[in-house]
Amino acid sequence: MADYNEKFYLVRSDILPEAMMKTIEAKELLERGKVESIFEAVQQVGLSRSAFYKYRDAVFPFQAMVKEQMITLFFHLEDRKGTLSNLLMTVAQSGCNVLTIHQTIPLQGKANVTLSLNTSGMEDSIEKLLQQLHKLDFVDRVEILSTGA
C-alpha cells in the first residue's frame, strides 16, 4: 500500500544511481515499443530485473511528470447507501474531472471501484487527494493503478 505522506524531489540525473538511470532507459524502450518485454529492456540497458522492479514505480523523467494529467485509482469500499456519491463528491471538490467509472457488484458488503481522473484542474497535490480519500470511513483501500498523460 502506498505511503500517503510520501514526498517527491527533483534531482539532477548526474547524481542518480546508475540503476535508476537504467530503469528510466528501460521504461522508455518499453513505452516506445523498441522491445517487447521487460526482460529484453533490462538486457539491452544492462540492468537486473530486480533493480528494474525496485525502481520502476519510483523514477520518472521530469518532462513526463510535468505533462501528466491523468490518474487511475482503485478503491475497495464498503457497500453503503451514498458511498459512490460521496466518493465522487470528494474527487470533484479536489478539482479532478472523472473520465471513467467502473464498479463491481458488491459481494459480502464490499465493492471495488476504479476511477480514471483528469487531474489538470487540481489545486492541491495528488498526495493530498489520496490522504483525503483514505480518511473517508467507507474506504478500506485506495491505490494508484496508473498515471499518464
Side-chain angles (χ1 to χ4, degrees):
M1 183 182 279
D3 177 4
Y4 300 104
N5 294 315
E6 63 189 1
K7 294 181 182 180
F8 294 88
Y9 299 92
L10 183 61
V11 180
R12 273 193 349 255
S13 63
D14 63 325
I15 66 166
L16 285 176
E18 185 178 4
M20 287 184 177
M21 290 302 300
K22 287 184 176 188
T23 299
I24 291 170
E25 289 176 42
K27 287 171 58 172
E28 288 174 355
L29 289 172
L30 288 161
E31 287 171 13
R32 293 183 179 167
K34 301 287 183 185
V35 294
E36 293 185 18
S37 68
I38 291 172
F39 178 75
E40 284 181 71
V42 296
Q43 268 194 326
Q44 191 165 329
V45 299
L47 180 69
S48 71
R49 285 186 350 164
S50 62
F52 176 83
Y53 285 114
K54 178 178 180 180
Y55 295 121
R56 76 173 176 177
D57 295 326
V59 295
F60 305 93
F62 177 69
Q63 296 82 359
M65 294 302 289
V66 170
K67 292 179 187 173
E68 205 166 271
Q69 294 187 344
M70 192 172 98
I71 187 168
T72 302
L73 300 177
F74 170 83
F75 298 88
H76 191 69
L77 308 174
E78 292 180 21
D79 181 34
R80 294 192 283 185
K81 184 177 180 178
T83 296
L84 184 58
S85 175
N86 288 332
L87 176 68
L88 295 174
M89 184 174 20
T90 302
V91 167
Q93 288 171 345
S94 76
C96 289
N97 183 33
V98 177
L99 301 172
T100 65
I101 301 171
H102 179 265
Q103 181 176 359
T104 62
I105 295 172
L107 296 173
Q108 299 177 351
K110 305 289 181 181
N112 294 327
V113 174
T114 304
L115 298 179
S116 293
L117 308 172
N118 180 330
T119 60
S120 62
M122 287 183 68
E123 293 182 21
D124 289 322
S125 67
I126 291 172
E127 291 76 23
K128 185 169 182 180
L129 172 61
L130 291 172
Q131 287 173 351
Q132 291 171 335
L133 293 168
H134 195 67
K135 287 179 185 175
L136 297 172
D137 64 343
F138 54 82
V139 173
D140 289 341
R141 191 169 90 214
V142 58
E143 297 176 16
I144 297 175
L145 288 185
S146 67
T147 59

